[in-house]
Amino acid sequence: MADCIFCKIAAKEIPSTIVAESDAWVAFRDINPQAPTHILIIPRKHLERLADAAPEDRELLGELLLAAREVAQKEGLEKEGYRVVINNGPFAGQSVYHLHIHVLGGRPLGWPPG
Ligand code: AMP
């Protein structure tokens, strides 16, 4: 999508701190981190929301979760734990309409979320 900021990050048209990537996804540091480690994982395919995923995206969705695990391991979050979040739509606070997984760790995280 031409005007999507995360598509531009995936295409390396705008800068980001990429920590890992594959043919299907890119993981980079959140510009406004909410925890000592805050990484976003995006599919290269432009899907606006989780709600737009279809059965044909089954493999991609699995890859994104495995990417979250890989990134958490790489960042040394496995022992203490970490949180994986997908905000879907306005009530969840989604601000960028390109599907992304947040991986948050490095401090105790409260529950329930605000
Ligand atoms: P959400 O509120 O779930 O849509 O999350 C969007 C996230 O994208 C927020 O945590 C932002 O800080 C982050 N973000 C927005 N623009 C950028 C950018 N250019 N580079 C890195 N992270 C970004």
Side-chain angles (χ1 to χ4, degrees):
M1 276 261 301
D3 58 350
C4 170
I5 189 167
F6 283 0
C7 283
K8 287 180 180 165
I9 285 177
K12 299 183 179 148
E13 288 168 13
I14 62 171
S16 70
T17 308
I18 292 175
V19 297
E21 62 185 314
S22 81
D23 288 349
W25 53 264
V26 178
F28 55 97
R29 295 198 189 280
D30 196 293
I31 205 167
N32 182 25
Q34 301 302 309
T37 302
H38 187 173
I39 289 165
L40 302 176
I41 302 167
I42 59 171
R44 292 188 189 275
K45 175 179 176 180
H46 182 84
L47 287 170
E48 286 200 353
R49 305 166 302 165
L50 180 62
D52 297 310
E56 73 199 38
D57 298 311
R58 176 189 303 266
E59 191 177 331
L60 176 60
L61 294 176
E63 283 193 47
L64 292 174
L65 276 183
L66 288 172
R69 187 197 168 221
E70 179 185 320
V71 163
Q73 191 173 31
K74 217 171 170 174
E75 295 286 317
L77 301 177
E78 280 202 326
K79 184 164 175 280
E80 303 291 344
Y82 56 93
R83 186 166 294 162
V84 174
V85 174
I86 298 175
N87 292 324
N88 184 92
F91 270 23
Q94 185 173 2
S95 60
V96 178
Y97 278 76
H98 179 126
L99 174 64
H100 50 282
I101 295 182
H102 298 257
V103 177
L104 297 137
R107 67 168 173 85
L109 299 165
W111 192 264

